[in-house]
Amino acid sequence: MLEVQNLSVHIQGKQVLRQVSLTVPKGKVVGIIGESGSGKSVLCSTILQLFRKDRKAAGTIKFNGDCLLSLEEKKMRSLRGKEIALIMQNPMSMFNPLVTIGGHFIETLQAHTSMTKKQAIKIAKEQLALFQLNDVDVLKKYPHELSGGMLQRIMIAISASLEPKLLLADEPTTALDTMTQLEIVKELKKLQAKTKMSILIVSHDLGVIANLAEEIIVMRRGVVVEYGPASHILLHPIHPYTKTLVAARDEHSTLDELNDKYEDTVSGELVLYDENHWVRMEDSSR
Amino acid sequence: MIIVQQVSKSYRQSRFFKKRQSVVKAVDNVSLKIKEGSTFTLLGQSGSGKSTLGKILLGIEKPDNGEVLFDGMNVHNATGKKRKKLQQSMQVVFQDCHSAVNPKMKIKDIIAEPMLVNEKLVPMQIEERVGELLEMVGLSRDDMVKYPHQFSGGQLQRITIARAISTRPRLIILDESVNSLDVLVQISILKLLKRLQQELKLTYFFITHDLHAARLFSNEIAIMQKGRIVEHLLVGELEQAKHEATKALLNSRLTIDCIHNYLEHNEEQVV
């Protein structure tokens, strides 16, 4: 479905992504984990071809046979939202404070289809019902009247209303507290099971990724350092950075046992370690 | 060291064009004791009144009822020299380090600001002290002349910690201090705080919604829900928690243990 190959991105002459390759198969959930500044979000916005003018991208991004990097802006526009949807980190700042929730639905739906307002509202109600937000009042409310968790659920509902084939979720739970995080993860899981859409989820929280993704990509400093099935990576992490990340989530360790440092290995080649499990290793460590 | 006695605080919420006001009880009859040199964690969901209680402890908000005693001194009635003394011995580190520092000030001035309120120092002394503080939090002396935008979130949080310890406080209120940071940076900040606690004999009041951080870091945990403290336990007793709110928090952990279930599930399918 989505195929990224040898993608390198330069922003203002600085390299932020180096030779990133990944595939998101149809109906699968792929998770990207990495520290802040590792290029996770840049990857998302490059897939959507946002900020095109400021970025120099090399490589290929293929989505359903279309090569996104060379697609003209007009066509790209019809893909954004309709085929590829994006959920962002901070739901509070993603909504227009002067427009009601219903207005947001209408705007999104009318941008891609020739729907009347009434039809749009009908779809909005159906979508909200799926997310247990049956309250008709929600549509008349303004963003500031709702909590962060609610807004994030509405955001997912809006992006799902156009039935996109691929959902990019850029840190969808980071700004929320743990209980709400769990709810959002459950919603996403339910949505995925129902619509069979592909999801690319980005987070720095291994817990979120572990609960959703079937495949995990570990990124650091703009390169992929480990790539493989979730079960492999979580049970037998190979790269020192992944090891530290997994250890940090261990329930039974104490603060003194945990590491906050890791060897700096972003060089070297990606080698096949196990079935479908790739690790970037330096020659000496092999 | 700190005794909170039956403190309540409510806010009036007025609606535009509506005459009736609704009253929100942010903190409802809370009593607790914080021992010197320990870490007391207040755990709860957003909106449960954690931060309001933190503000009351600091003396920023006045409670409607009850009192807060710091070494026997009432925090909210203190005046003059007593008040100054209290302000020196209590400091706070917030969640969002980017908005907690003035972007137009140099790091030196940011860290020195609270010291200068309380002491008269000549520039040489200031530089010496700020340098010491920066080294204590794991940064270098040369960072003094830089501006906030030159630092990452984790480094900036170290700077706000340096600012907090500059007045040689005894209690530091950590209001979600590590929540917006990366997992590994979180651990490094928690480690730093723990080291400082031992070196400087600090007491921490740690406000968080993250059970994992609370478990790693604290001695005592109080769980807050809708303004009330519903359960109070030592860290080791967490698994035996009785109250629903605590259990809900325990169950809301997104652990990586789920992968084991996932594997078992898949094996079943194969069979």
Side-chain angles (χ1 to χ4, degrees):
Chain A
M1 167 138 248
L2 178 77
E3 246 187 277
V4 177
Q5 254 171 20
N6 296 333
L7 180 71
S8 302
V9 175
H10 290 259
I11 300 178
Q12 293 175 344
K14 231 172 113 185
Q15 188 161 38
V16 260
L17 288 182
R18 204 177 78 212
Q19 301 282 324
V20 173
S21 301
L22 60 97
T23 42
V24 185
K26 198 169 182 200
K28 289 236 175 184
V29 185
V30 176
I32 301 181
I33 185 159
E35 60 189 347
S36 30
S38 61
K40 300 169 297 194
S41 301
V42 173
L43 182 63
C44 275
S45 45
T46 309
I47 290 172
L48 270 177
Q49 287 294 295
L50 301 170
F51 315 113
R52 237 182 183 174
K53 280 177 195 150
D54 310 329
R55 293 184 179 174
K56 262 204 339 237
T60 49
I61 305 176
K62 270 198 174 155
F63 175 76
N64 274 350
D66 288 332
C67 196
L68 297 188
L69 282 179
S70 52
L71 208 63
E72 31 183 315
E73 187 60 23
K74 208 176 160 191
K75 272 205 170 150
M76 196 60 227
R77 272 194 163 193
S78 64
L79 282 184
R80 283 185 204 127
K82 181 103 176 72
E83 305 280 322
I84 311 174
L86 176 68
I87 307 172
M88 273 169 282
Q89 183 181 123
N90 190 349
M92 294 288 187
S93 58
M94 290 307 140
F95 284 90
N96 183 344
L98 298 176
V99 177
T100 57
I101 301 301
H104 281 99
F105 265 104
I106 293 168
E107 191 186 339
T108 312
L109 287 167
Q110 284 189 335
H112 291 282
T113 53
S114 51
M115 242 178 234
T116 59
K117 274 189 186 173
K118 261 190 189 158
Q119 283 172 316
I121 289 289
K122 198 178 151 238
I123 288 185
K125 276 182 191 159
E126 284 169 13
Q127 279 298 332
L128 288 175
L130 284 180
F131 290 90
Q132 270 91 53
L133 296 163
N134 307 34
D135 207 355
V136 191
D137 272 6
V138 173
L139 288 174
K140 287 184 190 146
K141 284 206 163 127
Y142 287 91
H144 73 267
E145 294 177 286
L146 300 162
S147 67
M150 280 271 255
L151 284 178
Q152 194 61 287
R153 264 150 72 189
I154 291 167
M155 176 95 101
I156 297 173
I158 292 181
S159 41
S161 65
L162 278 161
E163 293 165 3
K165 302 205 172 62
L166 173 68
L167 184 69
L168 305 175
D170 189 359
E171 309 248 6
T173 60
T174 310
L176 308 167
D177 74 65
T178 37
M179 302 268 277
T180 335
Q181 273 182 13
L182 182 74
E183 276 170 37
I184 298 292
V185 167
K186 277 185 183 160
E187 298 291 8
L188 280 172
K189 239 181 178 167
K190 237 168 56 193
L191 181 72
Q192 205 272 333
K194 210 174 149 262
T195 59
K196 299 272 177 265
M197 62 165 76
S198 316
I199 299 182
L200 182 66
I201 180 164
V202 172
S203 178
H204 67 244
D205 188 347
L206 202 56
V208 174
I209 298 275
N211 276 274
L212 275 169
E214 292 156 73
E215 264 177 47
I216 296 183
I217 297 160
V218 186
M219 278 181 79
R220 183 156 154 68
R221 305 226 175 129
V223 296
V224 175
V225 294
E226 196 160 352
Y227 180 12
S231 49
H232 268 249
I233 290 204
L234 294 172
L235 294 175
H236 315 287
I238 306 297
H239 194 272
Y241 178 63
T242 325
K243 276 187 184 163
T244 335
L245 273 178
V246 173
R249 293 296 304 194
D250 190 353
E251 297 268 303
H252 311 291
S253 49
T254 59
L255 193 57
D256 297 325
E257 288 167 16
L258 291 182
N259 253 329
D260 54 348
K261 294 198 179 63
Y262 27 83
E263 290 161 62
D264 207 9
T265 38
V266 291
S267 54
E269 291 286 309
L270 266 180
V271 291
L272 189 62
Y273 174 78
D274 206 344
E275 194 188 339
N276 294 330
H277 185 167
W278 298 78
V279 188
R280 196 173 289 275
M281 277 199 252
E282 266 167 28
D283 291 336
S284 55
S285 60
R286 260 155 87 187
Chain B
M1 179 166 94
I2 279 218
I3 301 171
V4 177
Q5 277 171 343
Q6 295 172 341
V7 162
S8 298
K9 172 87 194 170
S10 49
Y11 292 105
R12 274 199 206 109
Q13 236 183 9
S14 52
R15 287 270 167 86
F16 201 49
F17 284 137
K18 276 187 189 159
K19 271 187 188 164
R20 244 185 58 206
Q21 288 182 326
S22 54
V23 176
V24 180
K25 273 194 176 169
V27 177
D28 191 3
N29 206 1
V30 167
S31 304
L32 47 92
K33 263 185 204 158
I34 305 174
K35 290 191 204 97
E36 179 121 44
S38 70
T39 304
F40 189 100
T41 297
L42 194 60
L43 193 68
Q45 273 194 277
S46 34
S48 60
K50 298 174 301 205
S51 292
T52 310
L53 187 58
K55 281 182 197 160
I56 290 172
L57 240 66
L58 271 174
I60 301 172
E61 290 275 2
K62 246 189 158 146
D64 303 337
N65 289 310
E67 52 184 12
V68 179
L69 301 174
F70 187 97
D71 281 343
M73 250 188 301
N74 189 320
V75 172
H76 298 94
N77 294 342
T79 48
K81 268 191 182 165
K82 269 189 180 173
R83 181 157 185 82
K84 218 166 187 183
K85 182 97 198 303
L86 274 174
Q87 281 170 346
Q88 267 185 45
S89 41
M90 285 197 272
Q91 286 292 329
V92 61
V93 177
F94 294 106
Q95 173 175 17
D96 187 3
C97 45
H98 293 280
S99 60
V101 292
N102 186 338
K104 288 184 177 175
M105 275 161 82
K106 281 186 184 155
I107 301 305
K108 183 176 80 181
D109 302 319
I110 290 171
I111 295 179
E113 205 178 13
M115 296 198 289
L116 295 175
V117 176
N118 299 303
E119 292 169 65
K120 278 213 172 70
L121 296 168
V122 293
M124 274 287 284
Q125 283 174 307
I126 294 175
E127 237 163 69
E128 186 54 37
R129 279 284 297 283
V130 171
E132 261 172 47
L133 287 165
L134 279 173
E135 276 167 9
M136 276 171 93
V137 296
L139 294 169
S140 105
R141 248 163 215 272
D142 309 329
D143 291 333
M144 215 185 283
V145 289
K146 291 184 184 164
Y147 286 94
H149 70 263
Q150 292 169 285
F151 294 92
S152 68
Q155 286 172 322
L156 220 48
Q157 199 58 288
R158 282 168 192 266
I159 287 164
T160 57
I161 291 169
R163 176 174 65 182
I165 57 175
S166 69
T167 62
R168 301 193 177 92
R170 292 169 54 206
L171 173 76
I172 296 185
I173 293 176
L174 305 165
D175 193 349
E176 307 259 15
S177 302
V178 296
N179 289 101
S180 58
L181 303 169
D182 206 276
V183 187
L184 296 183
V185 182
Q186 265 186 28
I187 289 170
S188 71
I189 296 283
L190 287 178
K191 279 191 162 181
L192 167 73
L193 286 168
K194 202 149 201 182
R195 200 191 77 219
L196 289 174
Q197 182 168 43
Q198 280 154 6
E199 281 172 14
L200 305 169
K201 309 245 174 322
L202 291 167
T203 309
Y204 290 136
F205 185 71
F206 183 44
I207 299 173
T208 186
H209 62 247
D210 186 354
L211 195 80
H212 191 54
R215 190 200 295 267
L216 285 175
F217 190 56
S218 48
N219 306 101
E220 274 179 78
I221 298 183
I223 290 94
M224 203 162 181
Q225 188 191 33
K226 291 178 186 162
R228 284 169 177 273
I229 288 188
V230 293
E231 196 152 16
H232 186 162
L233 358 105
L234 295 174
V235 165
E237 301 169 341
L238 259 178
E239 295 300 331
Q240 292 115 48
K242 290 190 185 70
H243 197 274
E244 288 304 312
T246 323
K247 282 185 191 161
L249 270 169
L250 279 168
N251 292 332
S252 77
R253 287 172 294 185
L254 282 165
T255 57
I256 56 171
D257 289 349
C258 68
I259 203 65
H260 297 287
N261 307 339
Y262 172 78
L263 283 180
E264 279 162 26
H265 187 67
N266 274 18
E267 274 160 23
E268 275 166 30
Q269 277 182 339
V270 172
V271 174

